[in-house]
Amino acid sequence: MVKLKNKGKRPQQGKDGHKNTQTMQFNHALGQHILKNPLIVQSLVEKSALRNTDTVLEIGPGTGNMTVKMLDKVKKVIACELDPRMVAELQKRVQGTHWQSKLTMMVGDVIKTELPFFDVCVANVPYQISSPLVFKLLLHRPFFRCAVLMFQREFAQRLVAQPGDKLYCRLSINTQLLARVDHLMKVGKNNFRPPPKVESSVVRIEPRNPPPPINFQEWDGLTRVCFVRKNKTLSAAFKSTGVLLMMEKNYKVQCSVANRPVPDGFNIKEEVDKVLTSIEFNEKRARIMDIDDFMKLLHAFNKAGIHFT
């Protein structure tokens, strides 16, 4: 996990609680890299637009350089950290200070942890949990106000990609269905010690509240089919044997739940063709379709009794 660390000499005890972490060995398997530029730490805090009544969820606080800056601005910080050594460092740093009562530690894997209520999330996210973390946050209830997250550059670009962009993908459309996503700033790899292999970017995610009136699991099932080969026409994408078998099974399950018989001579391939033709989507390609297009497609399938969950 990317860790934050200010430059400079060790300050006096009680001044800002800084601890010397020069001798600590960082775990590359957890994606631990020290953010050594204090201006970026400060910028992350400012871009989070914190209020004095906020509860902040910080994922991967490391030794706490950003944590203590936020503790001065908010009501409470809940810090989730996987590495017990980092937990001990941060607890030691705030011990006996005015920050101690405002900090709560959660020890463990954030993906496997039930998240508490929070207003704002701030995180420096390791590559291996980027996608699951985004959707864990977006499906979290009650809604939070925003999340300011640092990702590998290409992942961040996928989050904000628009129809027709080279990096536009299922991650783009699924995220943008549930949230407004803005690219805030680039962070060069030389701002970290040791430098990671790739550049980073910071994005701001604001959940849509209320959320769109749509079953996200079904939406995700539809976009999964469409983006397997995003350059193919929808007509070609939906002719895959595996896709047709899945849709036929779902159709029969829906009939069973509704206690109605499957129509005689039912042919899932013909039904799919009818749906695509009815909305003139046979030649559409996922790479240029926007949210409204996918909503129209899902509605047409559902109207015909075809579902994706």
Side-chain angles (χ1 to χ4, degrees):
M1 210 170 279
V2 182
K3 304 302 172 187
L4 306 179
K5 181 182 184 302
N6 285 332
K7 278 184 176 180
K9 297 180 180 179
R10 178 181 177 182
Q12 295 298 315
Q13 185 178 1
K15 185 177 179 181
D16 71 356
H18 183 79
K19 298 293 180 182
N20 188 343
T21 59
Q22 290 290 333
T23 60
M24 181 176 288
Q25 296 297 311
F26 294 94
N27 189 336
H28 289 191
L30 298 179
Q32 291 178 345
H33 297 274
I34 299 299
L35 180 56
K36 63 184 182 181
N37 188 339
L39 296 177
I40 295 177
V41 176
Q42 183 61 37
S43 182
L44 286 170
V45 174
E46 291 172 355
K47 290 178 185 299
S48 301
L50 301 175
R51 305 169 185 170
N52 59 11
T53 55
D54 281 342
T55 294
V56 176
L57 174 67
E58 184 183 11
I59 300 169
T63 55
N65 293 307
M66 187 157 62
T67 313
V68 295
K69 287 184 178 295
M70 294 192 295
L71 284 168
D72 274 336
K73 294 177 175 291
V74 302
K75 178 182 177 182
K76 182 180 182 181
V77 172
I78 302 169
C80 185
E81 175 57 65
L82 182 60
D83 189 338
R85 301 171 308 150
M86 298 292 183
V87 174
E89 279 292 322
L90 183 50
Q91 288 177 327
K92 196 184 306 179
R93 183 166 185 173
V94 302
Q95 190 173 8
T97 70
H98 63 286
W99 298 316
Q100 187 171 1
S101 63
K102 298 168 71 174
L103 176 66
T104 298
M105 294 297 306
M106 294 175 59
V107 185
D109 184 343
V110 67
I111 301 300
K112 300 175 182 177
T113 301
E114 183 176 349
L115 299 180
F117 166 83
F118 60 94
D119 298 292
V120 176
C121 176
V122 180
N124 297 278
V125 186
Y127 177 76
Q128 59 268 32
I129 69 164
S130 296
S131 186
L133 178 62
V134 166
F135 291 104
K136 184 179 179 74
L137 291 174
L138 289 178
L139 297 175
H140 177 71
R141 300 293 182 269
F143 285 97
F144 57 94
R145 189 167 74 249
C146 75
V148 175
L149 310 171
M150 187 184 297
F151 294 111
Q152 288 191 358
R153 177 79 48 81
E154 184 173 312
F155 184 87
Q157 289 173 329
R158 290 182 186 278
L159 287 176
V160 300
Q162 297 298 304
D165 291 350
K166 182 179 178 181
L167 292 177
Y168 187 63
C169 60
R170 189 165 64 95
L171 173 69
S172 316
I173 194 79
N174 285 2
T175 305
Q176 292 168 31
L177 172 76
L178 300 175
R180 173 181 171 179
V181 190
D182 296 300
H183 184 279
L184 297 182
M185 64 178 181
K186 297 177 180 179
V187 182
K189 56 188 176 183
N190 290 331
N191 288 289
F192 300 88
R193 185 172 59 243
K197 294 180 179 179
V198 297
E199 308 291 334
S200 298
S201 280
V202 178
V203 301
R204 178 184 175 94
I205 296 177
E206 297 179 29
R208 300 192 190 280
N209 186 10
I214 200 165
N215 180 324
F216 181 73
Q217 281 66 39
E218 184 150 20
W219 168 277
D220 186 51
L222 171 67
T223 58
R224 188 182 300 273
V225 172
C226 296
F227 277 99
V228 168
R229 293 287 185 272
K230 68 179 181 179
N231 292 320
K232 277 189 172 184
T233 63
L234 293 186
S235 180
F238 282 97
K239 283 180 180 175
S240 161
T241 302
V243 171
L244 290 172
L245 287 173
M246 175 270 292
M247 297 171 77
E248 182 175 30
K249 179 183 176 182
N250 289 347
Y251 182 86
K252 290 178 177 179
V253 168
Q254 291 291 328
C255 287
S256 176
V257 169
N259 197 27
R260 67 173 186 268
V262 176
D264 291 336
F266 174 78
N267 184 305
I268 188 63
K269 187 176 180 180
E270 291 177 1
E271 293 301 316
V272 170
D273 283 340
K274 286 179 187 176
V275 169
L276 295 178
T277 301
S278 70
I279 55 174
E280 300 180 344
F281 269 30
N282 300 73
E283 299 303 311
K284 283 271 193 181
R285 301 171 195 270
R287 65 180 175 84
I288 58 170
M289 292 171 61
D290 61 17
I291 287 175
D292 289 341
D293 289 330
F294 281 105
M295 283 192 169
K296 184 176 181 180
L297 180 61
L298 182 58
H299 177 71
F301 273 124
N302 288 172
K303 188 177 179 181
I306 299 173
H307 295 266
F308 294 87
T309 57

PDB file of all heavy atoms in Angstrom, residues 44 121 127 156 238 307:
ATOM      1  N   LEU A  44      -3.394  16.647  -1.329  1.00  0.00           N
ATOM      2  CA  LEU A  44      -4.420  15.615  -1.164  1.00  0.00           C
ATOM      3  C   LEU A  44      -5.425  16.001  -0.086  1.00  0.00           C
ATOM      4  O   LEU A  44      -6.635  15.825  -0.242  1.00  0.00           O
ATOM      5  CB  LEU A  44      -3.776  14.273  -0.820  1.00  0.00           C
ATOM      6  CG  LEU A  44      -3.057  13.545  -1.960  1.00  0.00           C
ATOM      7  CD1 LEU A  44      -2.258  12.369  -1.415  1.00  0.00           C
ATOM      8  CD2 LEU A  44      -4.052  13.060  -2.990  1.00  0.00           C
ATOM      9  N   CYS A 121     -13.522   9.523   2.056  1.00  0.00           N
ATOM     10  CA  CYS A 121     -12.493   8.486   2.047  1.00  0.00           C
ATOM     11  C   CYS A 121     -11.248   9.034   1.357  1.00  0.00           C
ATOM     12  O   CYS A 121     -11.345   9.690   0.314  1.00  0.00           O
ATOM     13  CB  CYS A 121     -12.986   7.233   1.319  1.00  0.00           C
ATOM     14  SG  CYS A 121     -11.732   5.933   1.167  1.00  0.00           S
ATOM     15  N   TYR A 127      -2.218  -1.518  -6.590  1.00  0.00           N
ATOM     16  CA  TYR A 127      -2.818  -1.940  -7.858  1.00  0.00           C
ATOM     17  C   TYR A 127      -3.751  -3.135  -7.689  1.00  0.00           C
ATOM     18  O   TYR A 127      -4.828  -3.177  -8.267  1.00  0.00           O
ATOM     19  CB  TYR A 127      -1.700  -2.289  -8.853  1.00  0.00           C
ATOM     20  CG  TYR A 127      -2.222  -2.805 -10.167  1.00  0.00           C
ATOM     21  CD1 TYR A 127      -2.779  -1.928 -11.099  1.00  0.00           C
ATOM     22  CD2 TYR A 127      -2.180  -4.153 -10.486  1.00  0.00           C
ATOM     23  CE1 TYR A 127      -3.273  -2.381 -12.309  1.00  0.00           C
ATOM     24  CE2 TYR A 127      -2.669  -4.625 -11.696  1.00  0.00           C
ATOM     25  CZ  TYR A 127      -3.209  -3.737 -12.604  1.00  0.00           C
ATOM     26  OH  TYR A 127      -3.711  -4.200 -13.785  1.00  0.00           O
ATOM     27  N   ALA A 156      -6.406   5.053 -13.309  1.00  0.00           N
ATOM     28  CA  ALA A 156      -7.130   6.316 -13.152  1.00  0.00           C
ATOM     29  C   ALA A 156      -7.684   6.793 -14.496  1.00  0.00           C
ATOM     30  O   ALA A 156      -8.813   7.291 -14.577  1.00  0.00           O
ATOM     31  CB  ALA A 156      -6.206   7.373 -12.547  1.00  0.00           C
ATOM     32  N   PHE A 238     -23.429 -10.999 -28.990  1.00  0.00           N
ATOM     33  CA  PHE A 238     -24.511 -11.788 -28.404  1.00  0.00           C
ATOM     34  C   PHE A 238     -24.757 -13.109 -29.131  1.00  0.00           C
ATOM     35  O   PHE A 238     -25.701 -13.825 -28.811  1.00  0.00           O
ATOM     36  CB  PHE A 238     -25.797 -10.955 -28.341  1.00  0.00           C
ATOM     37  CG  PHE A 238     -25.800  -9.966 -27.211  1.00  0.00           C
ATOM     38  CD1 PHE A 238     -25.452  -8.642 -27.428  1.00  0.00           C
ATOM     39  CD2 PHE A 238     -26.117 -10.361 -25.924  1.00  0.00           C
ATOM     40  CE1 PHE A 238     -25.435  -7.729 -26.376  1.00  0.00           C
ATOM     41  CE2 PHE A 238     -26.111  -9.467 -24.870  1.00  0.00           C
ATOM     42  CZ  PHE A 238     -25.760  -8.139 -25.097  1.00  0.00           C
ATOM     43  N   HIS A 307     -32.903 -11.457 -18.927  1.00  0.00           N
ATOM     44  CA  HIS A 307     -32.163 -10.840 -17.828  1.00  0.00           C
ATOM     45  C   HIS A 307     -30.722 -11.343 -17.780  1.00  0.00           C
ATOM     46  O   HIS A 307     -30.372 -12.335 -18.427  1.00  0.00           O
ATOM     47  CB  HIS A 307     -32.862 -11.103 -16.501  1.00  0.00           C
ATOM     48  CG  HIS A 307     -34.230 -10.453 -16.419  1.00  0.00           C
ATOM     49  ND1 HIS A 307     -34.408  -9.214 -15.867  1.00  0.00           N
ATOM     50  CD2 HIS A 307     -35.445 -10.873 -16.856  1.00  0.00           C
ATOM     51  CE1 HIS A 307     -35.708  -8.891 -15.941  1.00  0.00           C
ATOM     52  NE2 HIS A 307     -36.351  -9.883 -16.546  1.00  0.00           N
TER      53      HIS A 307
END
